[in-house]
Amino acid sequence: MSLVVNFDDIPDDGEYVFELVEKPDYFQVDLEEGVLRKDVCVQGSLSKVGREVFLKGSISTEMEMICSRCLEPLSYKVRSKILSHYVPDQEEAGNQGTDVELHASDIEMECYSDGQIDLTQAVYDQMILSLPLVRLCRTDCQGICSQCGVNRNIKKCQCSDKDSVDPRLAVLKTLKDKLK
């Protein structure tokens, strides 16, 4: 199955309701973001007004990522709403060779051509945007010791964080101590 829908399949006076499932390898996810471990399920509806198409739905999948503090793998369930607005590309709309003024709302628009509405980019973008900026295996993750490198979630170390100062910041620590 593909994330492409024919424009003619969408009724003029109603909604085209769908449930599409894609394998993880369908999306080219950057390894820094994570690895898709489960199929991507997209549920929603498409409705049209003239030649414009509106997508409203939800995405669900699971990604494996790396914890920002301890560098251990973690599993993250992606559950996100998706809204998108599709318009025919300029050639199909008959605006070939004319200048068009862009508005702020145009940034959120996707283009379709040849009567084929490809949901792939909107689904991918929403998947990536729904990922947390700081990825933690658990809320109380202790991270890795900056001195000995041990994972503090697994083993306690005897290193002292107070004694460890980056030599480049030693001047600031001296200034801080004087201000006390």
Side-chain angles (χ1 to χ4, degrees):
M1 179 141 298
S2 171
L3 293 177
V4 177
V5 177
N6 282 326
F7 179 83
D8 294 332
D9 290 345
I10 306 167
D12 292 330
D13 57 350
E15 292 183 336
Y16 175 77
V17 179
F18 63 88
E19 182 172 340
L20 303 171
V21 178
E22 276 299 339
K23 297 287 181 198
D25 59 351
Y26 181 81
F27 295 93
Q28 301 297 319
V29 179
D30 187 358
L31 289 177
E32 289 180 19
E33 298 294 340
V35 177
L36 282 169
R37 290 294 180 207
K38 290 195 175 178
D39 291 347
V40 178
C41 180
V42 183
Q43 297 175 323
S45 64
L46 292 167
S47 57
K48 64 182 175 183
V49 176
R51 302 287 300 157
E52 296 182 17
V53 177
F54 297 90
L55 165 66
K56 184 170 124 179
S58 63
I59 303 167
S60 62
T61 189
E62 191 171 307
M63 288 188 78
E64 185 177 299
M65 301 182 293
I66 301 296
C67 178
S68 299
R69 290 186 188 159
C70 68
L71 304 179
E72 292 293 322
L74 68 103
S75 182
Y76 182 78
K77 292 181 192 265
V78 175
R79 305 282 183 265
S80 180
K81 301 277 184 214
I82 182 170
L83 296 171
S84 194
H85 178 194
Y86 293 87
V87 294
D89 66 8
Q90 286 188 350
E91 288 137 20
E92 192 167 297
N95 294 336
Q96 196 170 11
T98 61
D99 290 336
V100 178
E101 183 179 338
L102 288 176
H103 302 285
S105 62
D106 294 337
I107 303 300
E108 299 170 0
M109 280 195 233
E110 303 272 344
C111 291
Y112 70 90
S113 61
D114 300 325
Q116 302 288 309
I117 300 162
D118 190 354
L119 308 177
T120 305
Q121 191 62 48
V123 169
Y124 175 80
D125 291 347
Q126 192 57 46
M127 248 187 336
I128 298 302
L129 288 172
S130 70
L131 298 177
L133 291 175
V134 178
R135 296 150 186 186
L136 299 177
C137 58
R138 58 185 202 217
T139 55
D140 64 340
C141 178
Q142 299 296 308
I144 294 176
C145 175
S146 62
Q147 293 179 357
C148 68
V150 70
N151 183 340
R152 291 181 173 172
N153 296 321
I154 299 171
K155 182 180 175 188
K156 299 289 181 199
C157 66
Q158 302 304 315
C159 301
S160 171
D161 286 334
K162 290 182 181 179
D163 297 336
S164 66
V165 175
D166 186 328
R168 298 169 291 182
L169 301 175
V171 174
L172 292 176
K173 183 180 181 327
T174 305
L175 180 63
K176 179 184 170 191
D177 292 342
K178 286 182 182 179
L179 294 174
K180 285 186 181 179

